[in-house]
Amino acid sequence: MEHDALDAGEARYELVISVDARGSGQYSDAEKPLMRRQIYEVLETAFAQAGVGRNAVHLEDRGDGVLISVPGRIAVARLLGLWMTELHEKLRLDNRRERRPLGLRVAMHVGPVRHDSEGICGDAVNLACGLADSSVARHLLEREQADLVLAVSESLYREVVAPGGKFIDPDRFAPARITLKGGEVTAWFQLPGRSAPALGQPTAPSSSTTAASGSPAADEEEDGYEDGERDGYGDGAAAYRAGRDMNVFRDTTFERSVHIGHNIGTDRRKD
């Protein structure tokens, strides 16, 4: 395998793919081997159908997911297009007979990757993993009860997705501003087989189910975010942020007068 000869200090531009399973913590110890087996089956079937040799890519096990790097000699468009299509079809068909359907969050980014005897590292790896683990990807997969959600970096969208191609339709992607450990980034999200997703603010729990006040964890739980993440939703050029008591309206026409906000200490009157 070509990666075996790489020096740990030598970085090469490669496609990084992070794959995470939905709700892995909800699987019992007896169920987890079955979940892992299904992950590998759908990935390897997709590689075979896309004409990408299994020994041509680097693959690391992550327990409830897989980290993959693909050398530059394999076209990124093949992974974004045909491979993603085959992955979705295999997963969709398998889930028809599963008692607990497997949901996958897949993220992609191209950047410098360093290999050593233990695996891969670098900012490109961190970004791909962060996109797959973002609250936007998690929320979208859960809200739509989808089999698969794809997130790609801004640079990958601009250079490969936006021009379009076979099995690649830029109109089926939607952007969002998300905050990762390294700062704010723009990512583009797709639900394979569907139109572009509507990205809205994650639903916050009702006021009757609030956590203990005064702690950061309580505030994060109330806001509906995980790991202190704060995501804004927008069009790549601007981000829109809303708290629990605020809604965002853009290009909206109201046919009659409306009141936006809360009425506090006022009487309700009939029209």
Side-chain angles (χ1 to χ4, degrees):
M1 187 173 177
E2 70 176 62
H3 292 312
D4 294 339
L6 295 182
D7 182 80
E10 181 181 4
R12 296 192 179 186
Y13 273 76
E14 298 182 336
L15 173 66
V16 181
I17 306 174
S18 178
V19 181
D20 284 339
R22 171 176 54 201
S24 59
Q26 299 174 9
Y27 288 83
S28 68
D29 284 350
E31 293 172 325
K32 285 181 179 178
L34 299 177
M35 174 196 72
R36 287 165 48 79
R37 185 185 309 162
Q38 188 181 1
I39 292 174
Y40 278 94
E41 283 181 357
V42 297
L43 291 176
E44 292 176 358
T45 298
F47 278 127
Q49 294 297 326
V52 178
R54 170 63 182 82
N55 61 349
V57 303
H58 170 83
L59 190 150
E60 290 181 28
D61 182 77
R62 290 299 181 96
D64 59 352
V66 177
L67 182 62
I68 304 166
S69 66
V70 183
R73 61 185 176 81
I74 300 176
V76 173
R78 182 183 300 185
L79 279 299
L80 261 172
L82 181 57
W83 183 76
M84 280 300 303
T85 299
E86 294 293 347
L87 181 65
H88 175 241
E89 284 302 302
K90 172 64 173 172
L91 185 59
R92 183 180 65 84
L93 293 174
D94 283 0
N95 277 343
R96 286 182 175 181
R97 61 175 183 268
E98 293 294 328
R99 181 180 63 84
R100 177 180 293 183
L102 176 67
L104 294 180
R105 302 186 307 275
V106 177
M108 297 186 184
H109 174 60
V110 172
V113 177
R114 287 178 167 80
H115 293 254
D116 58 27
S117 60
E118 303 301 326
I120 59 176
C121 63
D123 289 342
V125 175
N126 295 340
L127 178 55
C129 292
L131 296 181
D133 195 47
S134 68
S135 62
V136 177
R138 290 174 177 271
H139 175 73
L140 190 58
L141 189 65
E142 190 64 30
R143 184 191 74 189
E144 300 297 330
Q145 288 298 292
D147 299 309
L148 182 65
V149 62
L150 169 65
V152 301
S153 64
E154 170 73 2
S155 59
L156 187 55
Y157 177 86
R158 184 176 60 251
E159 295 167 7
V160 182
V161 177
K166 191 173 184 179
F167 303 114
I168 300 177
D169 183 356
D171 292 336
R172 293 179 180 267
F173 287 76
R177 289 290 290 176
I178 62 177
T179 303
L180 304 178
K181 291 181 179 179
E184 281 196 352
V185 300
T186 296
W188 291 76
F189 294 84
Q190 180 196 38
L191 294 168
R194 306 190 189 187
S195 57
L199 297 179
Q201 190 77 357
T203 303
S206 64
S207 59
S208 62
T209 58
T210 56
S213 61
S215 68
D219 293 338
E220 290 165 15
E221 183 177 344
E222 276 193 340
D223 286 335
Y225 294 96
E226 297 185 2
D227 301 330
E229 234 179 24
R230 297 295 184 268
D231 293 345
Y233 300 85
D235 57 8
Y240 299 87
R241 298 184 180 280
R244 290 187 298 276
D245 297 324
M246 184 184 299
N247 292 313
V248 175
F249 299 89
R250 183 183 180 190
D251 299 331
T252 303
T253 301
F254 297 98
E255 300 296 334
R256 56 181 296 182
S257 61
V258 297
H259 173 79
I260 300 175
H262 289 294
N263 291 321
I264 302 177
T266 59
D267 295 330
R268 295 184 178 177
R269 299 178 180 178
K270 296 181 179 179
D271 294 337

